[in-house]
Amino acid sequence: MPIEPRYTDTDACARDLVDELGADLRIAAPLGLGKPHGLLNALYRLTAADTSRSLRLYTALSLTRPQPAPGLEQRFLGPFLERHFGADQVDPQYALDQARDALPSNVEVHEFYLQSGALLHSRSAQRSYISQNYTHVARDLVVQDINLLVQLVARREGPDGVHYSLSCNPDLTLDFLRQVQLANRQRPICVAVVHPDLPYLGGDAEVAEDYFDVELRPEVLPPLFALPRLPVDVAEYALGLHASALVKDGGCLQIGIGALSDALVKALLLRQQDNTLWRRALVALDPAGATHALAGWLGGLAPFEAGLYGASEMVMDGFMHLQRAGILKRRSWDNLALERASAAGRLADDVPGGHYLRGAFFLGSRELYEWLGATEAADPDAIDMCAVSNVNQLYGDHQALAMLQRRGARFFNTCMMATLLGAAVSDTLEDGAVVSGVGGQYNFVAMAHELPDGRSALLLRSTRVSRGGIESNIRWNYGQTTIPRHLRDIVVTEYGVADLRGKSDSECIEAMLSVSDARFLDALCAEAKAHGKLAADFTIPAAWRRHRPRYLRETLAPFRQKGLLPKFPFGSDFTDVEQRLLPALDWLKANAVSWRGKLRLLGALVRPGEPAAGEGEALARMELTDAATLADRLQRRLLQAALRRKL
């Protein structure tokens, strides 16, 4: 049966697509929010049930709800996940099966960016991962003979007919289909799956009705996947405060996602809204004034007057908060405005209109999705969602415009580890196991070196907890790197800012040591000397010896007491009782990974201490008030010990 232009039944649409395309499905689907899970699941079921067929899926960031482990984690996360995501949320079944190495033999899933850490133990995912720069994905997809593209879209019907918005994911679809045409390849069947809650964004994200071959409008769709808002700890706030001084008024900003980015955004808001206290916090963290000195020529210490322009592959909640605070407001322009400004002999900033935020995809909270829709309705020029090639690189016919837009650019990304010589590890462990992916990080680091006044800043926690205890994230060397040392620029930890650009190897090592945890300084210093990269008579300054977690807690305690650095800077999806439980559960988890920690747990079990405030409510939330079995009683005892130690 031939495919129809309109469907409301997902299974019927899937059956007709399979019949039309034959035995070999080669599917492309957007990363993150733009994947139509219902249609993909229907196609997956049809393939799994018929071994004469095959399916290859090319995508990235397949979002699934967390799968809590049995015990206290399940007791805590189970009710929260049901409340946050709702009973109607649909996970991509291929992703669940891949996580447990249970994909059918006739199905392959290739991703260029994995949900962080979720697939470390999936042999299938590790074998099928494709390591690519974000901007190279569309090019490489062209040669895979993709015959089906499926995507969530927003739909609008007006006097000029039906239009679709690629909304959350114009990133690769625009580039891919354009390159298919240029290569004179057969265009895949393109299916628009309409989601009523997806914000309709115009500009480059808007396409005509004939851009898609098939429209699927299911009568019932699950809610959009929304990320829960996570807590920010003291070390992350310290890091964010240092980083916030590097941002230049009137410049361009790129930020990622996660607690480190939230800390940076909160620090930028503090710089704008309570500048005196923000400066005091910086002085408290850095009495020697190194960050202040860098701010003098790299960033700034004053509130934002001209404001910032956002150019980020990912649009997330932080940009919403910066716009509401009057920081994200510097408007840029399109090519026509640039031509008019040039003809008039003035900066294009003087031309009315333009956007203050350009992105390739968005993902965040439900509040973000609502803000995007409301902003489009009130100010259609404000947000420009476009192809990733227009965001993550300077090359092509938009190069001159992009360089003007991104003057004073500060590109902030996170990494897992860094070496003393300035290389960064962001996606892969030493044994080759992929944690996430390169994504656009290399793009932005390289772009920072091409822009006359652009800088790349990699945000890094100086230590991590492992089975062996506390380990340094700053290493002498590492077997895998995402950013090579010849592209070293700025590294920020909770202990300060290391400016590495143009520095000799010994200067680079000294700068990295200055932002390392004091517990690892001697070993790192000795290793650098042993390899002849640091002078034999180099001595570690006394000030660096203070770089310990206790120093951070004591330094920032007055500011936390004033409410300036809240645990949840942008609100919480957790109840008050759940917020009290989180640090207790984190303490249990942190101590369970090492033998020293397990000894501490054993001691806490034997002597749990006096009852904590709110303990009864916490036990009731975890359904441990009446512990019937031995396992339940052990869980209750552990939780009591954790609550009594943390509160």
Side-chain angles (χ1 to χ4, degrees), residues 22-34:
D24 184 21
L25 288 180
R26 303 175 74 90
I27 306 174
L31 84 166
L33 189 62

Side-chain angles (χ1 to χ4, degrees), residues 195-504:
H195 199 297
D197 298 332
L198 205 58
Y200 193 102
L201 300 176
D204 287 347
E206 186 176 55
V207 296
E209 184 178 15
D210 61 4
Y211 195 81
F212 288 95
D213 305 292
V214 177
E215 177 190 277
L216 170 61
R217 297 178 69 185
E219 294 180 0
V220 178
L221 274 170
L224 294 173
F225 193 99
L227 298 175
R229 291 169 287 196
L230 299 176
V232 177
D233 67 19
V234 171
E236 289 156 348
Y237 268 127
L239 195 153
L241 286 163
H242 287 298
S244 64
L246 303 176
V247 180
K248 189 175 183 179
D249 189 22
C252 171
L253 181 68
Q254 182 258 332
I255 46 179
I257 196 167
L260 293 181
S261 296
D262 286 350
L264 168 59
V265 170
K266 181 62 177 177
L268 289 171
L269 294 175
L270 187 59
R271 172 177 164 181
Q272 180 78 357
Q273 296 167 345
D274 202 333
N275 191 258
T276 299
L277 279 174
W278 174 77
R279 291 190 188 211
R280 287 177 183 170
L282 278 182
V283 171
L285 285 170
D286 179 33
T291 300
H292 276 69
L294 284 173
W297 68 282
L298 278 182
L301 296 171
F304 299 94
E305 293 185 8
L308 301 177
Y309 168 76
S312 184
E313 67 181 26
M314 179 177 183
V315 172
M316 36 71 80
D317 287 56
F319 288 108
M320 170 181 68
H321 298 301
L322 293 172
Q323 187 273 336
R324 287 173 171 172
I327 298 173
L328 187 71
K329 65 178 182 180
R330 177 171 76 81
R331 300 240 179 190
S332 188
W333 49 91
D334 57 19
N335 283 304
L336 179 60
L338 182 63
E339 291 170 7
R340 289 173 179 168
S342 178
R346 57 198 174 106
L347 284 174
D349 283 357
D350 298 331
V351 179
H355 58 275
Y356 52 69
L357 177 58
R358 164 168 278 187
F361 77 99
F362 63 74
L363 178 64
S365 68
R366 293 186 182 89
E367 185 182 4
L368 172 69
Y369 307 153
E370 293 168 1
W371 174 77
L372 287 166
T375 302
E376 172 72 15
D379 187 357
D381 294 331
I383 300 169
D384 179 26
M385 296 297 297
C386 60
V388 73
S389 59
N390 286 339
V391 180
N392 285 29
Q393 63 184 19
L394 298 172
Y395 317 117
D397 57 7
H398 70 292
Q399 181 171 353
L401 175 61
M403 293 183 76
L404 284 170
Q405 290 172 334
R406 296 165 206 186
R407 64 180 183 269
R410 299 295 178 264
F411 301 135
F412 291 97
N413 290 283
T414 59
C415 60
M416 301 186 297
M417 288 173 275
T419 71
L420 287 179
L421 291 171
V425 181
S426 306
D427 67 299
T428 304
L429 301 180
E430 198 150 31
D431 62 0
V434 181
V435 177
S436 53
V438 178
Q441 184 171 118
Y442 184 94
N443 292 143
F444 280 105
V445 173
M447 184 163 41
H449 283 272
E450 298 299 321
L451 290 165
D453 56 355
R455 300 301 298 265
S456 159
L458 295 179
L459 311 181
L460 170 71
R461 288 287 300 256
S462 68
T463 62
R464 68 181 183 277
V465 178
S466 72
R467 292 189 178 278
I470 304 296
E471 292 187 17
S472 176
N473 283 329
I474 297 176
R475 312 281 293 262
W476 165 248
N477 198 16
Y478 201 72
Q480 303 283 348
T481 57
T482 312
I483 305 301
R485 71 188 184 106
H486 72 271
L487 289 180
R488 61 196 184 198
D489 201 341
I490 294 173
V491 174
V492 187
T493 77
E494 63 267 40
Y495 298 116
V497 180
D499 182 9
L500 312 179
R501 183 182 283 194
K503 300 291 178 65
S504 69

